[in-house]
């Protein structure tokens, strides 16, 4: 009897420790460890420095979109139009850039600047419409962003006729698509700057706390003096701006303006946030975890590519991970409640 008691004690302590880690950190660290072990066993090239840098570069676009999606989730909503925002920013930015470059071939950087401004502005306008609908007309974020996703996609197809936009300066792709600084790709530097800026805004300014307050309890936030309508409006404008920046970076990578890019971004960005512990109820989530969540999605996609898993099955895996993350979040909330009791 004594031997069985001594053997079960370490098991209980180990399970209690894992439970505490799960409650504190969420499911993401466990999924990261499992993914690294599984894909390392499946491919010898997975843990090489070159491949990990490739994962970082490929994850940048999802990471930037997920930063904006996190803001929407924090306020108790979400944005299903982020994929369309990528597409319309890509199309408008490429068309503007190509037109200016054709008129003034010697003014390469002016063409790049105007193209980027045009693309980001066009994408952000979708966020403005989303924000007006959600904040001032009390339209459900699901219906508002879904409707704008259809509208924006139709506009992008109408502008291009479904044909990719060419004619941009070569320097745009060379610098923002394939350029490096200190051995690190240029899009990674842009993403790092956005992460730092958003981190300071969320955690070092009083305005950042408004997002958590609005998502935690809208009525209480309003009674405490927070302008909830302005916060909700600003949320979807920021979300669209992040997606538009990602759209321009992806345009530089592809070297064309595409109306069909970003179709999987709504699912992937929500999955990255939920896996990172951002609550679908609003008011809960950490920026650094979302960055890791986006890297995890990129890591899984890269590992499946190296393991030669069919692209159709990769979509199944991503959806299953999203469901698993939601279930894990529910279990975690129960553990938290039991610890409080």
């Amino acid at each position: 009897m004594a031997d069985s008691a001594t053997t079960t004690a370490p098991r209980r302590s180990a399970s209690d420790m894992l439970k505490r880690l799960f409650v504190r950190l969420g499911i993401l660290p466990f999924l990261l460890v499992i993914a690294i072990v599984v894909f390392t066993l499946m491919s010898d090239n997975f843990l090489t420095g070159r491949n990990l840098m490739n994962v970082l570069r490929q994850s940048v676009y999802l990471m930037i979109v997920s930063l904006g999606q996190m803001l929407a989730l924090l306020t108790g909503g979400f944005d299903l139009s982020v994929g369309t925002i990528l597409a319309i920013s890509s199309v408008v930015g490429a068309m503007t850039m190509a037109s200016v470059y054709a008129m003034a071939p010697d003014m390469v950087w002016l063409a790049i600047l105007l193209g980027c401004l045009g693309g980001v502005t066009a994408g952000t306008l979708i966020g403005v419409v989303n924000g007006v609908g959600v904040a001032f007309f009390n339209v459900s974020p699901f219906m508002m962003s879904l409707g704008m996703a259809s509208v924006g996609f139709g506009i992008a197809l109408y502008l291009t006729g479904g044909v990719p936009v060419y004619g941009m300066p070569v320097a745009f792709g060379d610098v923002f698509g394939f350029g490096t600084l200190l051995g690190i790709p240029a899009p990674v530097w842009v993403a790092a700057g956005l992460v730092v800026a958003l981190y300071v805004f969320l955690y070092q300014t009083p305005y950042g706390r408004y997002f958590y307050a609005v998502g935690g309890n809208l009525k209480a936030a309003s009674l405490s003096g927070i302008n909830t309508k302005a916060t909700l409006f600003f949320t979807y404008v920021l979300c669209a701006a992040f997606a538009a920046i990602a759209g321009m970076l992806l345009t530089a990578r592809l070297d064309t303006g595409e109306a069909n890019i970003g179709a999987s971004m709504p699912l992937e960005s929500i999955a990255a946030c939920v896996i990172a512990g951002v609550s679908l109820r609003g008011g809960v989530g950490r920026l650094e975890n979302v960055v890791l969540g986006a890297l995890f999605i990129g890591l899984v996609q890269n590992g499946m590519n190296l393991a030669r898993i069919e692209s159709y099955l990769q979509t199944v895996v991503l959806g299953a991970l999203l469901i698993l993350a939601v279930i894990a979040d529910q279990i975690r909330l129960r553990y938290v409640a039991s610890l409080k009791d």
Side-chain angles (χ1 to χ4, degrees):
M1 294 293 291
D3 292 338
S4 62
T6 55
T7 54
T8 54
R11 291 176 185 173
R12 287 179 181 175
S13 62
S15 64
D16 289 342
M17 184 177 68
L18 286 175
K19 186 182 292 187
R20 291 193 189 96
L21 284 173
F22 175 60
V23 169
R24 185 175 180 181
L25 303 176
I27 196 174
L28 180 57
F30 299 95
L31 291 177
L32 272 171
V33 171
I34 293 170
I36 290 172
V37 171
V38 169
F39 291 125
T40 300
L41 293 174
M42 294 179 72
S43 174
D44 295 334
N45 297 322
F46 181 71
L47 271 186
T48 61
R50 181 177 180 180
N51 185 60
L52 292 178
M53 179 59 72
N54 187 43
V55 169
L56 180 61
R57 179 182 55 78
Q58 291 176 339
S59 304
V60 158
Y61 314 106
L62 173 60
M63 186 186 301
I64 295 173
V65 175
S66 298
L67 297 179
Q69 191 70 257
M70 173 192 169
L71 297 177
L73 288 169
L74 282 179
T75 56
F78 44 82
D79 192 343
L80 297 178
S81 64
V82 289
T84 294
I85 293 170
L86 258 78
I88 202 164
S89 62
S90 175
V91 167
V92 172
M95 292 178 71
T96 304
M97 201 178 300
S99 298
V100 175
Y101 184 56
M103 290 186 294
D106 296 332
M107 306 181 73
V108 174
W109 287 104
L110 177 63
I112 292 174
L113 176 62
L114 292 178
C116 290
L117 286 175
V120 172
T121 301
T124 305
L125 283 175
I126 294 182
V128 170
V129 177
N130 282 335
V132 169
V134 173
F136 300 104
F137 292 97
N138 296 321
V139 181
S140 163
F142 174 82
M143 292 306 301
M144 192 69 215
S145 60
L146 184 63
M148 285 307 298
S150 179
V151 170
F153 183 59
I155 292 173
L157 286 176
Y158 175 78
L159 289 174
T160 62
V163 179
V165 180
Y166 298 99
M168 294 180 293
V170 176
F172 179 57
D174 288 346
V175 174
F176 295 102
F178 300 93
T180 60
L181 178 63
L182 302 177
I184 299 174
V188 177
W189 286 107
V190 175
L194 292 173
V195 169
V196 171
L198 186 58
Y199 185 91
V200 171
F201 174 73
L202 279 178
Y203 305 121
Q204 304 297 325
T205 69
Y207 302 104
R209 302 189 190 100
Y210 293 174
F211 294 93
Y212 288 89
V214 168
N217 191 317
L218 184 63
K219 290 184 179 179
S222 180
L223 291 173
S224 64
I226 295 174
N227 189 336
T228 56
K229 292 185 182 297
T231 301
L232 286 171
F233 173 75
F234 193 44
T235 294
Y236 289 93
V237 172
L238 267 181
C239 183
F242 279 114
I245 292 171
M248 290 311 302
L249 290 174
L250 195 54
T251 301
R253 184 70 185 177
L254 298 173
D255 206 25
T256 58
E258 297 277 354
N260 295 310
I261 63 173
S264 62
M265 274 297 177
L267 173 62
E268 291 180 4
S269 60
I270 293 173
C273 291
V274 173
I275 289 171
V278 181
S279 175
L280 292 173
R281 296 185 180 91
V284 177
R286 294 291 300 179
L287 177 63
E288 57 272 24
N289 292 345
V290 171
V291 172
L292 287 177
L295 287 173
F296 169 74
I297 297 293
L299 200 71
V300 169
Q301 291 175 335
N302 176 266
M304 289 190 293
N305 286 332
L306 289 177
R308 297 182 180 178
I309 296 174
E310 294 285 345
S311 59
Y312 308 110
L313 290 178
Q314 292 187 23
T315 306
V316 173
V317 171
L318 184 60
L321 285 173
L322 178 57
I323 296 171
L324 176 63
V326 174
I327 293 173
D329 185 54
Q330 295 297 319
I331 296 173
R332 181 167 170 263
L333 288 174
R334 292 177 186 174
Y335 283 157
V336 171
S338 64
L339 289 175
K340 288 180 179 179
D341 294 337

